[in-house]
Amino acid sequence: MTRAGLRLPAVVVYAIALAVLGISAAVALGIGSVEVPIPRVAAVLARRFGGGDTPFSGQPVSLLEDQLVWQLRLPRVIAAAAVGAILAVCGAVLQCLTRNDLADPYLLGISSGASVGAVSVIVFGTGWLGTLAMGTGPGNLTALSLSAFVGAMLALGTVLAIAAGRTGRLDPTRTVLAGVAVAYLCSAWTSVVVIAAGDGDAARRVLTWTLGSLAGIRWDSAVLLAGVAVVTVVGFCCYGRRLDGFAFGELTAQSLGIHVTRTRWALMIGTALATSVAVALTGAIGFIGLVVPHLVRPILGDTHRLLLPACALVGGVLLLWADTAARSALPSSELPIGAITALVGVPILILLMLRRSRP
């Protein structure tokens, strides 16, 4: 699976990616319907972290600046970087496990299952649950997230049960086919429910959720996503040597002493759990997990203990800028972040395909 390309030392790649991520975060905190200059952003952060106003910030921090930077934008920046890292790393792992360059974190029907859970609450929710799901307060996030997570896990369980069958082995081809089948079934159910409900407002909310959004992210969700991202990257890096073995096929992995079935089960469930949390809190965001591994492999190669951290950083940068564009492109409304990632991801994927097709 080795790709030819411009190879750079891992330390250089990490340093560049970290610098770009830091600069991107600083710029993103100032961009929006109300612009906040970077010195003022630094002043807000310094005040919040107990250092007082920065010497170059001028007048003291205003209440509006504090609310915009600390309460609204910083949680979104952290969540965008975390979700981008989760999706990119899970995409790299699934592409290795299935030996399929088109694999992404939603391969196992997770996104479609989460959509069923969210749609069911939005359309059928009654009493306090329906009020929370249709509201705009913190409870809205809790109700939707919980129902989406349950739906994602039920879809995952169905896919793994079908794929394993009586043998207990997770064959890559059977797993992909089971994931596609469950995804189509969930998508059909979602469409029927939304149309049958005849509620235009519910349909709009469902469409927004299925295309992904970080608009509801606050500090509690951002911290949770950041924690999941750290655990995901570190955990999969611990499987780096075994993933390197899988890259050359099951026979090679077995010859290296790797328990193929046990390892595949662990990694499949790990990617599904991490993706489920991300989907439950932000909706379905496509193309990050598909494109980022293909961007990083030509630079770092296929050694996963080096590849996965770089994928996490690049995925974080891409999703951070996608979210910034989604919330600032239009003055009076917010675009679905999934639409932005598709607009960016499709041309990148086409360019990568054209580049590889050259003799």
Side-chain angles (χ1 to χ4, degrees), residues 19-31:
V20 172
L21 180 61
I23 294 171
S24 300
V27 174
L29 288 173
I31 295 178

Side-chain angles (χ1 to χ4, degrees), residues 3-359:
R3 272 80 168 177
L6 175 62
R7 296 296 174 87
L8 294 175
V11 175
V12 175
V13 175
Y14 295 158
I16 294 174
L18 280 171
V20 172
L21 180 61
I23 294 171
S24 300
V27 174
L29 288 173
I31 295 178
S33 57
V34 177
E35 300 289 336
V36 180
I38 291 183
R40 306 300 302 159
V41 170
V44 172
L45 297 180
R47 177 174 176 270
R48 282 288 184 169
F49 284 110
D53 293 336
T54 56
F56 51 88
S57 63
Q59 67 271 24
V61 172
S62 68
L63 179 61
L64 176 61
E65 290 173 336
D66 183 81
Q67 291 294 312
L68 283 175
V69 173
W70 184 262
Q71 297 293 347
L72 297 179
R73 294 178 185 172
L74 186 56
R76 288 188 67 156
V77 165
I78 294 173
V83 172
I86 292 170
L87 297 180
V89 169
C90 289
V93 171
L94 286 174
Q95 287 171 14
C96 175
L97 287 178
T98 62
R99 304 193 71 192
N100 184 343
D101 287 345
L102 295 178
D104 74 348
Y106 302 131
L107 180 71
L108 304 180
I110 296 169
S111 176
S112 299
S115 298
V116 169
V119 168
S120 298
V121 170
I122 292 174
V123 175
F124 296 128
T126 57
W128 67 271
L129 188 59
T131 302
L132 291 177
M134 298 301 290
T136 57
N140 178 35
L141 180 64
T142 302
L144 282 178
S145 300
L146 179 60
S147 58
F149 183 78
V150 171
M153 296 312 298
L154 289 175
L156 168 65
T158 304
V159 169
L160 295 182
I162 295 173
R166 296 180 179 180
T167 65
R169 295 180 63 254
L170 283 179
D171 178 74
T173 302
R174 285 174 58 90
T175 304
V176 170
L177 291 175
V180 171
V182 170
Y184 272 110
L185 179 62
C186 292
S187 297
W189 166 260
T190 300
S191 300
V192 169
V193 167
V194 172
I195 294 174
D199 187 341
D201 184 61
R204 178 184 59 81
R205 291 175 181 270
V206 169
L207 178 62
T208 300
W209 192 91
T210 54
L211 289 177
S213 175
L214 296 175
I217 295 295
R218 295 297 181 264
W219 272 109
D220 53 350
S221 301
V223 171
L224 173 61
L225 288 169
V228 172
V230 171
V231 172
T232 299
V233 176
V234 173
F236 287 146
C237 283
C238 294
Y239 278 84
R241 187 185 69 85
R242 279 168 276 190
L243 284 167
D244 293 341
F246 271 92
F248 296 98
E250 289 189 7
L251 292 178
T252 302
Q254 289 175 343
S255 68
L256 295 173
I258 300 171
H259 194 296
V260 172
T261 301
R262 185 188 305 159
T263 302
R264 181 172 280 128
W265 269 100
L267 292 174
M268 286 284 191
I269 292 176
T271 57
L273 286 172
T275 306
S276 296
V277 175
V279 172
L281 292 173
T282 65
I285 300 173
F287 278 97
I288 295 294
L290 174 62
V291 171
V292 170
H294 294 297
L295 290 175
V296 178
R297 282 196 189 99
I299 301 174
L300 283 181
D302 292 313
T303 303
H304 284 84
R305 63 183 179 82
L306 301 178
L307 175 71
L308 296 180
C311 285
L313 293 172
V314 174
V317 170
L318 288 182
L319 193 56
L320 174 56
W321 278 110
D323 180 57
T324 303
R327 63 179 171 81
S328 59
L330 299 179
S332 58
S333 61
E334 183 169 318
L335 294 173
I337 193 171
I340 302 296
T341 56
L343 289 173
V344 175
V346 170
I348 291 176
L349 187 60
I350 292 174
L351 289 175
L352 289 172
M353 292 173 60
L354 292 176
R355 181 181 177 185
R356 293 185 185 181
S357 65
R358 295 175 183 172

